[in-house]
Amino acid sequence: MKIALVTPAGARSRSGNRHTATRWAAMLRSLGHRVRVSVRWDGRAADAMIALHARRSHASIARFRERFPASPLVVVLTGTDLYRDIRTDSDARASLVLADRLVVLQDMGRLELSVRFRRKTRVIYQSARVDASPTPPSRRFRVAVIGHLREEKDPFRAALALAHLRDLPELEIVQLGEALSPEMARTARRLERADPRYRWLGNVPHWQAMRWLSRSHALVLSSRMEGGANVICEAAAAGVPVIASRVSGNVGMLGRGYPGYYRLADERSLARQVRRAALESAYYARLERLTAARQPLFRPAAEREGLRRLLAELAPRPRPSRSRISRTGAKLRR
């Protein structure tokens, strides 16, 4: 099958959308498909389209559906799609209607859709493979924060929590990710000056981010909205427990009974969870165990199988040959 895979993130982007598109293209090719990845559909003929982001890819979605009304069209819903745009944006809502299948990246995502769309929605968890072995420092409790600095990520909540953890001088917050505005960069530098336990390392290659993750005791994910954070998959693969904001996308990744959530945008609540992880060995071991228990969901083989099943659902069934029809008709006449 010839597949047009559309993502709003360009080739040089380090965004989650681009990582997903690159990984899926490789998996689809390994399944025998031909895949073209583009920021917008170039109009070339394709047997199917997979479009990441209902709102930002809507123009490509609408054009493909108009030109190939009978061809399979899959729309993958991001966090901003699920938790904001489908409520307020007409393009995002139109993309839901045009799609033959919708894909969400964690099982709570389905609940954000109206009942009429849930029937055509499938869950495909993202996957990760981390080669670095876990080697956190022995004399410090290091917390990693990984992701670009933008409003939806509530990126400085961990740094702000340090004000409520002054009695833990051995605590360290290491933040990695590009500041997507000058204001974000200024805030990061100001927080660095305010507390030496906080460091912002800026934009680093993915392999360096994974090395920092594997050398940390915990990952903090403070997002206001998440479609299905790949960094949770990476933390599970690296054996690093997660402390996360209690939002639907994180609960869909880690499970409803996971004990490592804190109240969204509440640094005091986050500080309590970090303190417990740093000081209570039984609590920390439970976070480790439950994060590791999610690993099978996030394996590349599971993600690849999800894509295979998705396309198998949409593939046209081969018509029986004329000779087979004739034989079948003859049997019926008898």
Side-chain angles (χ1 to χ4, degrees):
M1 189 182 289
K2 188 186 299 182
I3 299 172
L5 202 166
V6 176
T7 173
R12 295 184 179 181
S13 171
R14 292 181 179 175
S15 72
N17 280 341
R18 190 70 197 189
H19 283 302
T20 301
T22 301
R23 189 175 62 255
W24 280 20
M27 289 180 175
L28 291 167
R29 288 172 185 135
S30 76
L31 291 167
H33 301 288
R34 289 176 290 168
V35 185
R36 285 178 55 83
V37 180
S38 60
V39 173
R40 60 188 63 83
W41 183 49
D42 57 12
R44 295 191 192 185
D47 301 311
M49 173 179 281
I50 299 175
L52 278 68
H53 213 298
R55 178 180 63 83
R56 295 176 64 192
S57 296
H58 173 72
S60 295
I61 291 166
R63 286 174 56 225
F64 183 84
R65 175 51 77 225
E66 182 179 8
R67 183 171 173 190
F68 300 107
S71 297
L73 172 57
V74 177
V75 175
V76 184
L77 301 177
T78 66
T80 51
D81 282 329
L82 279 173
Y83 302 108
R84 185 183 66 201
D85 293 343
I86 61 174
R87 295 169 174 79
T88 60
D89 187 85
S90 59
D91 284 350
R93 290 196 295 267
S95 292
L96 300 184
V97 176
L98 294 172
D100 295 300
R101 289 292 184 275
L102 301 170
V103 171
V104 294
L105 303 177
Q106 39 79 21
D107 61 10
M108 294 288 286
R110 210 192 290 255
L111 302 180
E112 300 301 316
L113 300 168
S114 62
V115 174
R116 70 183 179 121
F117 291 128
R118 291 179 195 175
R119 290 191 298 273
K120 65 178 182 180
T121 301
R122 303 293 178 264
V123 180
I124 300 178
Y125 286 93
Q126 297 190 89
S127 68
R129 184 182 288 112
V130 177
D131 297 325
S133 57
T135 53
S138 58
R139 296 187 179 182
R140 296 189 303 281
F141 188 87
R142 177 180 292 153
V143 174
V145 182
I146 300 175
H148 294 321
L149 279 56
R150 56 192 178 100
E151 182 63 27
E152 291 86 354
K153 300 294 184 182
D154 191 21
F156 302 117
R157 198 59 53 187
L160 295 172
L162 287 172
H164 306 286
L165 296 163
R166 297 189 187 281
D167 59 321
L168 297 180
E170 71 281 6
L171 186 63
E172 177 182 58
I173 305 288
V174 176
Q175 183 148 21
L176 304 99
E178 181 180 1
L180 298 188
S181 71
E183 178 59 31
M184 286 289 179
R186 286 193 291 270
T187 300
R189 295 189 190 103
R190 175 175 58 78
L191 289 168
E192 278 189 309
R193 292 192 296 270
D195 195 323
R197 294 176 296 170
Y198 169 71
R199 286 190 288 163
W200 173 49
L201 303 185
N203 201 12
V204 301
H206 184 256
W207 67 268
Q208 284 189 21
M210 292 303 95
R211 178 178 289 181
W212 276 105
L213 176 62
S214 66
R215 293 178 178 178
S216 299
H217 294 88
L219 170 79
V220 163
L221 183 62
S222 53
S223 303
R224 299 179 187 276
M225 58 181 74
E226 277 291 351
N230 194 236
V231 73
I232 289 179
C233 307
E234 291 165 339
V240 177
V242 181
I243 297 172
S245 53
R246 187 183 288 276
V247 297
S248 174
N250 291 340
V251 174
M253 293 290 285
L254 292 164
R256 299 190 187 198
Y258 187 72
Y261 300 121
Y262 72 93
R263 286 193 301 273
L264 176 64
D266 185 340
E267 59 265 29
R268 289 180 181 272
S269 177
L270 173 55
R272 284 193 290 272
Q273 296 292 57
V274 171
R275 180 185 299 280
R276 290 187 68 190
L279 299 180
E280 299 178 25
S281 58
Y283 174 71
Y284 183 81
R286 189 178 176 204
L287 294 183
E288 275 190 310
R289 185 173 66 255
L290 292 177
T291 300
R294 305 294 281 184
Q295 280 183 357
L297 293 174
F298 309 144
R299 287 176 180 155
E303 186 177 27
R304 183 177 181 271
E305 175 62 13
L307 291 171
R308 188 197 66 77
R309 288 182 180 179
L310 175 69
L311 292 178
E313 282 185 31
L314 297 170
R317 295 181 180 179
R319 293 182 178 181
S321 65
R322 286 183 177 272
S323 59
R324 183 181 172 189
I325 292 172
S326 300
R327 288 196 301 271
T328 303
K331 288 179 182 178
L332 290 174
R333 285 192 295 272
R334 290 175 196 160

